[in-house]
Amino acid sequence: MIKKLLLILLVCFSSKAHSQIINEKLVEKHLTTLADDQMEGRKAGSQGIEMAAKYIESEFERIGLDKFESQNSFRQSFSSKDMSLFNVIGVLEGKSKADEYVIISAHYDHLGMKTGEKGDLIFNGANDNASGVSAVLALAEHYKTQNINERSLLFVAFTAEEMGLIGSNYFGKQINPENIIAGINIEMIGKESPFGPKTAWLTGFDRSDFGQIIQKNLEESDYSLYPDPYVNFRLFFRSDNASLARLGVPAHTFSTSPMDKDLDYHKVSDETKTLDLFTVSETIKAIAIGTLSIVNGNDTPSRIVMKKDEPFK
Ligand SMILES: [Zn+2]
């Protein structure tokens, strides 16, 4: 009996401690670093993105992630359009289903700098998409501490999304899609969603039952997930989830962005000070709760079937 009580106490204590891994302070550290002027807008192929990659690598190292396919670097390097490019990948091996992968991703590149003008020249890309990368890093630390992932988790920072999903496309060619159970992609979670506080929306909601699984897992919480309200924007095809979805992987993008009202989108004014840290932090916590049954092997979302003539842009 005492043993049982102790066990319950231990479980309560540790789950409380773990949920505190994801907090505004940690998120702010990632955000301010990645969206700093020093990173010069993180354009793929630039010096600025080199600094961003180094930060992500150093965080993967600190958290204690493994390298992908026993490479000696967190970088997945390749060249495209005469540029040396690299995705950054960290791995947390699954406890009982190590050959089943769940991908948690966000693009870390952005637009770089304006030329030939005075004033603010740097596209800091705080919302787009330092916020998403902050989520990937926070979730990596959360799951490393939790140690409950029966499936293997791949934390991926994709490059050259802004140039046409180049990094995720390359990544998709290096994997066997049948081993990928789900793709959790995160884009622009720094502003309150059009559905109100503690809500997010998901692209391609009706293309698999991924979104319904998340909704079920969030039922007991005070956070809600909605289908993407901007269907005319075709956002399902415009972020890195698309590179995996076209291979059949149930890969969707979480966002909170009020797309039709965001005056900072792809502007030099997309800076950390315009973001709402509460929204970022609560959304990351909700993604952790919402995806838990996929991470621990209890749920397997249905595959995506693309329509034959569906344009991929
Ligand atoms: Zn983006």
Side-chain angles (χ1 to χ4, degrees):
M1 186 64 187
I2 288 182
K3 236 179 172 176
K4 209 173 173 184
L5 266 175
L6 275 174
L7 190 71
I8 290 169
L9 268 174
L10 190 72
V11 168
C12 289
F13 178 75
S14 56
S15 68
K16 213 170 177 182
H18 290 152
S19 67
Q20 287 167 358
I21 288 278
I22 304 167
N23 61 54
E24 289 183 30
K25 216 177 140 205
L26 177 73
V27 164
E28 187 175 19
K29 181 187 87 161
H30 294 325
L31 265 178
T32 50
T33 306
L34 290 164
D36 192 274
D37 281 354
Q38 273 193 63
M39 304 266 170
E40 297 178 343
R42 306 186 306 277
K43 187 175 184 175
S46 73
Q47 273 305 308
I49 202 165
E50 171 67 30
M51 285 185 72
K54 279 204 174 108
Y55 177 70
I56 297 164
E57 287 177 297
S58 69
E59 283 300 292
F60 282 175
E61 189 74 52
R62 177 183 70 77
I63 292 164
L65 299 187
D66 295 322
K67 276 138 197 163
F68 184 48
E69 290 178 340
S70 56
Q71 290 174 9
N72 56 11
S73 163
F74 289 117
R75 295 192 190 196
Q76 180 182 52
S77 300
F78 61 101
S79 52
S80 172
K81 297 185 176 174
D82 288 332
M83 290 180 296
S84 296
L85 302 177
F86 29 86
N87 296 320
V88 188
I89 310 176
V91 182
L92 200 54
E93 193 177 305
K95 290 152 75 82
S96 62
K97 299 178 174 184
D99 54 356
E100 296 182 8
Y101 290 90
V102 176
I103 294 171
I104 300 172
S105 65
H107 74 88
Y108 73 106
D109 71 303
H110 194 54
L111 302 172
M113 293 177 65
K114 282 189 188 176
T115 49
E117 289 173 51
K118 287 182 180 164
D120 186 358
L121 301 177
I122 302 172
F123 293 101
N124 299 82
N127 198 21
D128 186 10
N129 192 23
S131 70
V133 179
S134 302
V136 170
L137 293 174
L139 288 166
E141 192 160 5
H142 167 78
Y143 279 123
K144 174 70 183 179
T145 316
Q146 288 267 21
N147 193 26
I148 42 94
N149 58 303
E150 299 298 329
R151 287 176 166 143
S152 291
L153 306 182
L154 288 188
F155 299 93
V156 189
F158 288 124
T159 189
E161 188 265 3
E162 304 283 11
M163 295 177 176
L165 317 185
I166 293 173
S168 55
N169 244 310
Y170 178 82
F171 174 84
K173 288 181 185 143
Q174 313 306 312
I175 49 142
N176 178 357
E178 282 168 22
N179 298 337
I180 313 290
I181 301 299
I184 300 160
N185 191 53
I186 304 155
E187 269 263 14
M188 296 189 276
I189 55 165
K191 292 190 174 178
E192 191 177 295
S193 128
F195 298 103
K198 292 199 166 199
T199 66
W201 46 268
L202 186 80
T203 64
F205 196 93
D206 54 0
R207 289 177 174 261
S208 80
D209 63 3
F210 177 92
Q212 289 166 44
I213 292 170
I214 309 300
Q215 284 181 330
K216 175 197 75 180
N217 293 337
L218 286 173
E219 253 166 32
E220 303 283 293
S221 80
D222 56 357
Y223 197 103
S224 307
L225 182 72
Y226 292 85
D228 171 8
Y230 306 109
V231 267
N232 292 340
F233 288 40
R234 305 186 77 254
L235 298 171
F236 182 68
F237 300 98
R238 287 173 48 193
S239 188
D240 291 312
N241 68 283
S243 299
L244 297 173
R246 73 193 304 180
L247 305 171
V249 177
H252 301 260
T253 294
F254 286 89
S255 182
T256 64
S257 195
M259 291 297 291
D260 51 349
K261 293 196 194 89
D262 187 358
L263 300 176
D264 303 311
Y265 177 68
H266 282 198
K267 300 267 163 53
V268 291
S269 59
D270 181 4
E271 303 199 39
T272 306
K273 63 179 182 225
T274 68
L275 301 191
D276 171 10
L277 290 177
F278 176 80
T279 292
V280 184
S281 171
E282 290 304 306
T283 301
I284 301 170
K285 284 182 201 166
I287 294 171
I289 296 166
T291 58
L292 180 60
S293 66
I294 299 172
V295 166
N296 72 15
N298 287 339
D299 280 319
T300 300
S302 57
R303 307 297 286 180
I304 284 180
V305 182
M306 301 301 300
K307 288 159 203 148
K308 222 177 170 184
D309 51 353
E310 210 150 36
F312 234 98
K313 276 192 173 168

